Amino acid sequence: MKEEALQSLGLNEKETKIYLACLKLGSSLVQDIAISAKQNRTSTYDILASLEKKGFVSFTISSGKKHYQAINPNNLFNLFKEK
């Protein structure tokens, strides 16, 4: 059900897996997100960039490394209203 809702917001299957992994893990490195989502690490960078552009994830830099986090699912309703 979650996957269908996210895909109705314009995410493809891989973006959905990465977003859900970010949501589950909290603030995490790309490697950890890729492992959790069972995706290739190098393609995870591209997917995270796409999700960031769409407003589904953000990142912070800590100790010179990017830590990605999913936006609050409650805020997805606002994205849906905008579309």
Side-chain angles (χ1 to χ4, degrees), residues 24-74:
K24 176 180 146 189
L25 296 171
S27 182
S28 301
L29 297 169
V30 173
Q31 179 176 342
D32 299 326
I33 295 166
I35 291 169
S36 179
K38 298 179 181 157
Q39 299 293 313
N40 182 301
R41 183 182 54 83
T42 55
S43 63
T44 299
Y45 282 101
D46 295 332
I47 296 167
L48 284 167
S50 174
L51 288 170
E52 183 184 357
K53 190 181 289 187
K54 292 178 180 181
F56 284 82
V57 299
S58 62
F59 69 88
T60 56
I61 298 176
S62 177
S63 301
K65 296 182 180 182
K66 283 187 177 181
H67 290 75
Y68 288 88
Q69 57 273 338
I71 64 162
N72 188 321
N74 295 330

Side-chain angles (χ1 to χ4, degrees), residues 3-11 54 56 73 76-77 79-81 83:
E3 291 85 2
E4 292 171 1
L6 290 169
Q7 290 173 359
S8 72
L9 291 174
L11 298 185
K54 292 178 180 181
F56 284 82
L76 292 178
F77 180 71
L79 286 174
F80 184 71
K81 285 185 357 185
K83 292 185 182 230

